[in-house]
Amino acid sequence: MMSATSTLAMTHLVPLAKDLDENKVTPGVLGFIVFAVIGGAVWLLMKSMNKHMKRVNFEEAPEEPGKAPAAASTEGAKGAKGEERTA
């Protein structure tokens, strides 16, 4: 069940397909456009990522040797209800 539009399109495209060299396949203009759009999207994503990474202000606090981090030692010893865990 082909519609009239698809039948008309096929009759116009079949002669064009026969003019092509069967041993040579190229991506053509559509392939270039798709590749250019993907390249542009990657460039924009990298530009956005660099902008966001410049905003990050990460400074690790100097840790004293032999001392465990305070947050890990207090939270690790207590359960959900504040009771002490047993291993």
Side-chain angles (χ1 to χ4, degrees):
M1 296 181 92
M2 295 180 78
S3 67
T5 308
S6 63
T7 306
L8 183 63
M10 288 299 290
T11 57
H12 288 298
L13 292 176
V14 169
L16 291 175
K18 291 186 180 193
D19 291 340
L20 293 176
D21 183 11
E22 292 181 10
N23 296 323
K24 183 179 178 184
V25 178
T26 61
V29 177
L30 180 62
F32 174 75
I33 291 172
V34 169
F35 188 75
V37 167
I38 290 172
V42 168
W43 181 75
L44 287 172
L45 284 171
M46 290 187 68
K47 188 174 176 182
S48 175
M49 182 188 69
N50 282 334
K51 186 172 89 173
H52 283 87
M53 291 300 286
K54 286 179 184 176
R55 290 182 183 176
V56 173
N57 184 16
F58 176 75
E59 292 181 16
E60 188 172 346
E63 193 174 313
E64 295 177 20
K67 184 178 178 184
S73 63
T74 58
E75 291 176 5
K78 295 184 179 180
K81 296 180 181 179
E83 298 171 358
E84 205 170 62
R85 291 185 185 177
T86 57

